[in-house]
Amino acid sequence: MKDQSKMPLMEALQRMRHERLVPFDVPGHKHGKGNPQLTEFLGEKCLSVDVNSMKPLDNLCHPVSVIKEAEELAADAFGAAQSFFMVGGTTSAVQTMILSSVKSGDEIILPRNVHQSVINALVLCGAVPVYINPQMNKKLGIALGMSIDDVKRTIVMHPNAKAILVNNPTYYGICSDLKQITQIAHEKGLLVLVDEAHGTHFYFGKDMPVSAMAAGADMAAISMHKSGGSLTQSSLLLCGEKVNANYVRKIINLTQTTSGSYLLLSSLDISRRNLALWGEETFEKVKNFAQYAREEINAIGDYYAYSKELMNGDSVFDFDTTKLSVNTLDLGLAGIEVYDLLRDEYGIQIEFGDLGNILAYISVGDKNKNIERLISALSEIRRIYKKDNKNMLDTEYISPTVVISPQEAFYAEKTSLPLAECGGRVCTEFVMCYPPGIPILAPGERITQEIIAYIQYAKDKGCVVTGPESMDISRLNVWEGEENG
């Protein structure tokens, strides 16, 4: 084990700060002196370390000193053979996993309820998705994990597939049997890629679901800025022993900035140290907060804060108990409506609300009084705003029909049609509610009347629908190569 109390990158920045260098390099604000309004807003200490690469601070594109050491410490802390500091968010880590594993024409197996970054990567590289449509929990209206039987069947049907990608956990806390999926895939020669954006704490907490590296996966994308405490947009890419890390670095450098932010990089260094030294204690506190909130919310009535009781040994192999996921359908309110009420009427900002659920993200930064305030607000919302739940949409996922590949559709000749007239046509762009950023439609998929009704319902309920060129989602771009299906 390496000395996890060290913070080589942060320490190098501190040394630089004390050297009182005269800057004749970028950024042009020159340690904040050229932009006093920004310095006043963010603070002099922050601006003094918003610097460019220089020899004592190493270079993110080709690290040989302090960044290299910081990445090695992170790999050691997470049980990986190699880690990479990512400043383009977990989106860039996910895309690197895919771009380094498959190329044009290759098949990759993945659940359809992936984040948009996955399908964006397929647009870039031309790989062909083989979707496993997830099983559903109809009561909650959410997609579950990957069934082992579905994984086996899909691998047999697609013997030339090069990789499989797994969401672990999902936004709602659902975990697949990652260890068995990894074993099955490796026996058939497939690489195992894990979108572990919401699972940083799996590596440090006690009695957590298995982490990607512990399960033997080849690569994992980690959102350190979610449960790990680093700055927004800072993430890690972890690699197993059999991955060619030098090639992965080349792929990263295809798309990641050559001007990596030292604010983001140092936050990764500091947060890794905190997790390595105090992660177990930290996440025990988070689990206790979430469990207390679950019990109190369920006692209110009509809400359902779910947990390990959903486990079925397969598509819900495990559950992340740090997640405070709450179903709102029995209240007669969509999750997004509860989200808006909490924000607008009670001054509480939760992570997201969809058509049937909300997610309140619990972290070590929370306090008992904040948890109590959330519980009280939810109780009052039930008392004041509860209504009949007839005509509530009961699902958050519609299985799509893939007609052509994402890349072919994205770059195809297209025409713009009013949303209501798109039934039967093939979509050439994304449509999604954000968050969570899981596409309702992706390029190459058939637009059905059910999907059109879903999009309109989501708009009417107040979901933030993004993706199309038409900013008000009144029109969609469709493939000219096919008439109505």
Side-chain angles (χ1 to χ4, degrees):
M1 289 289 291
K2 295 180 179 291
D3 181 0
Q4 290 293 336
S5 66
K6 295 177 66 178
M7 295 176 288
L9 189 50
M10 191 207 78
E11 292 159 9
L13 285 165
Q14 286 182 322
R15 288 192 296 271
M16 180 216 66
R17 179 189 278 156
H18 294 145
E19 287 172 353
R20 303 176 65 84
L21 291 170
V22 177
F24 281 99
D25 61 350
V26 297
H29 62 67
K30 301 295 179 80
H31 299 180
K33 294 179 177 60
N35 194 336
Q37 291 83 10
L38 185 63
T39 303
E40 181 181 1
F41 180 62
L42 295 179
E44 185 178 346
K45 280 190 174 182
C46 176
L47 272 293
S48 72
V49 292
D50 180 39
V51 293
N52 196 25
S53 295
M54 59 186 77
K55 282 189 176 181
L57 297 181
D58 210 353
N59 188 300
L60 183 60
C61 297
H62 187 79
V64 295
S65 59
V66 291
I67 293 177
K68 181 175 184 289
E69 186 180 355
E71 289 183 334
E72 289 171 350
L73 283 164
D76 182 68
F78 282 82
Q82 174 74 45
S83 80
F84 297 93
F85 281 11
M86 308 296 292
V87 295
T90 308
T91 288
S92 62
V94 166
Q95 292 178 347
T96 295
M97 290 197 303
I98 293 172
L99 294 175
S100 60
S101 302
V102 291
K103 60 183 184 300
S104 181
D106 286 347
E107 290 183 331
I108 178 171
I109 298 169
L110 38 89
R112 176 53 182 78
N113 57 322
V114 290
H115 188 265
Q116 68 179 97
S117 59
V118 175
I119 303 175
N120 282 342
L122 302 183
V123 170
L124 293 174
C125 73
V128 179
V130 175
Y131 291 128
I132 295 179
N133 283 319
Q135 296 179 14
M136 295 293 299
N137 182 308
K138 286 292 185 181
K139 174 179 170 58
L140 303 178
I142 64 171
L144 304 178
M146 298 174 85
S147 162
I148 293 298
D149 284 344
D150 287 344
V151 169
K152 289 179 177 178
R153 187 183 310 112
T154 305
I155 289 175
V156 169
M157 292 174 63
H158 295 271
N160 295 321
K162 303 296 185 185
I164 183 169
L165 183 138
V166 187
N167 297 327
N168 203 69
T170 69
Y171 225 132
Y172 305 96
I174 306 295
C175 298
S176 302
D177 188 350
L178 184 57
K179 196 165 188 177
Q180 189 174 352
I181 291 172
T182 299
Q183 181 180 343
I184 293 167
H186 281 171
E187 287 173 355
K188 298 297 184 181
L190 277 72
L191 292 170
V192 178
L193 318 176
V194 183
D195 182 346
E196 212 167 21
H198 296 273
T200 304
H201 46 291
F202 289 3
Y203 291 86
F204 304 98
K206 186 178 179 182
D207 299 324
M208 294 281 182
V210 68
S211 69
M213 290 295 105
D218 296 290
M219 304 177 78
I222 307 286
S223 281
M224 279 286 278
H225 63 92
K226 290 186 170 72
S227 60
S230 65
L231 290 178
T232 295
Q233 204 174 307
S234 61
S235 297
L236 293 177
L237 175 61
L238 305 179
C239 297
E241 292 180 356
K242 296 182 180 180
V243 173
N244 183 344
N246 291 329
Y247 179 69
V248 172
R249 176 84 67 188
K250 286 173 62 177
I251 297 296
I252 291 172
N253 288 340
L254 287 177
T255 57
Q256 183 161 256
T257 178
T258 56
S259 303
S261 166
Y262 280 90
L263 299 176
L264 300 182
L265 295 172
S266 59
S267 80
L268 287 170
D269 199 24
I270 296 166
S271 299
R272 179 272 313 157
R273 172 184 180 269
N274 293 343
L275 292 176
L277 298 182
W278 305 298
E280 185 173 320
E281 173 188 342
T282 294
F283 294 120
E284 196 63 27
K285 180 179 178 182
V286 172
K287 281 198 300 183
N288 291 337
F289 271 153
Q291 182 58 29
Y292 171 75
R294 247 190 307 273
E295 292 171 358
E296 293 296 310
I297 291 168
N298 284 334
I300 294 171
D302 293 317
Y303 295 106
Y304 176 30
Y306 39 96
S307 186
K308 283 183 174 286
E309 71 277 2
L310 298 182
M311 290 168 54
N312 59 20
D314 189 21
S315 57
V316 189
F317 184 77
D318 208 342
F319 187 85
D320 175 11
T321 57
T322 70
K323 293 286 187 297
L324 184 57
S325 302
V326 184
N327 186 262
T328 64
L329 290 174
D330 286 347
L331 201 65
L333 296 173
I336 188 62
E337 292 175 306
V338 175
Y339 171 102
D340 288 339
L341 287 168
L342 286 169
R343 177 69 176 82
D344 298 340
E345 302 298 328
Y346 298 93
I348 296 173
Q349 179 65 61
I350 59 172
E351 174 66 11
F352 83 93
D354 59 29
L355 298 185
N357 301 270
I358 59 172
L359 173 65
Y361 215 92
I362 310 293
S363 83
V364 70
D366 285 304
K367 298 179 180 178
N368 285 311
K369 65 178 183 179
N370 292 341
I371 302 292
E372 295 291 356
R373 182 173 170 182
L374 173 64
I375 294 165
S376 296
L378 289 174
S379 179
E380 196 166 303
I381 286 172
R382 177 182 182 269
R383 180 176 61 84
I384 298 173
Y385 297 100
K386 179 182 175 179
K387 58 186 179 183
D388 193 292
N389 66 356
K390 288 191 299 186
N391 301 318
M392 297 286 289
L393 202 62
D394 66 353
T395 183
E396 187 60 28
Y397 174 79
I398 301 172
S399 298
T401 299
V402 180
V403 180
I404 56 176
S405 75
Q407 186 183 67
E408 185 180 355
F410 188 85
Y411 291 110
E413 293 297 321
K414 60 202 67 156
T415 188
S416 175
L417 291 178
L419 178 62
E421 298 176 17
C422 290
R425 303 301 291 267
V426 175
C427 193
T428 63
E429 54 189 351
F430 290 93
V431 183
M432 71 204 83
C433 294
Y434 194 87
I438 298 167
I440 302 166
L441 279 168
E445 294 176 356
R446 181 83 65 196
I447 306 167
T448 64
Q449 292 300 328
E450 183 185 16
I451 289 172
I452 292 172
Y454 180 97
I455 293 169
Q456 192 58 56
Y457 182 88
K459 288 172 60 179
D460 292 345
K461 288 296 183 182
C463 291
V464 179
V465 183
T466 66
E469 286 184 19
S470 169
M471 294 294 287
D472 62 358
I473 326 297
S474 62
R475 305 177 71 87
L476 291 179
N477 287 338
V478 299
W479 184 32
E480 282 190 356
E482 186 186 55
E483 297 301 321
N484 289 350

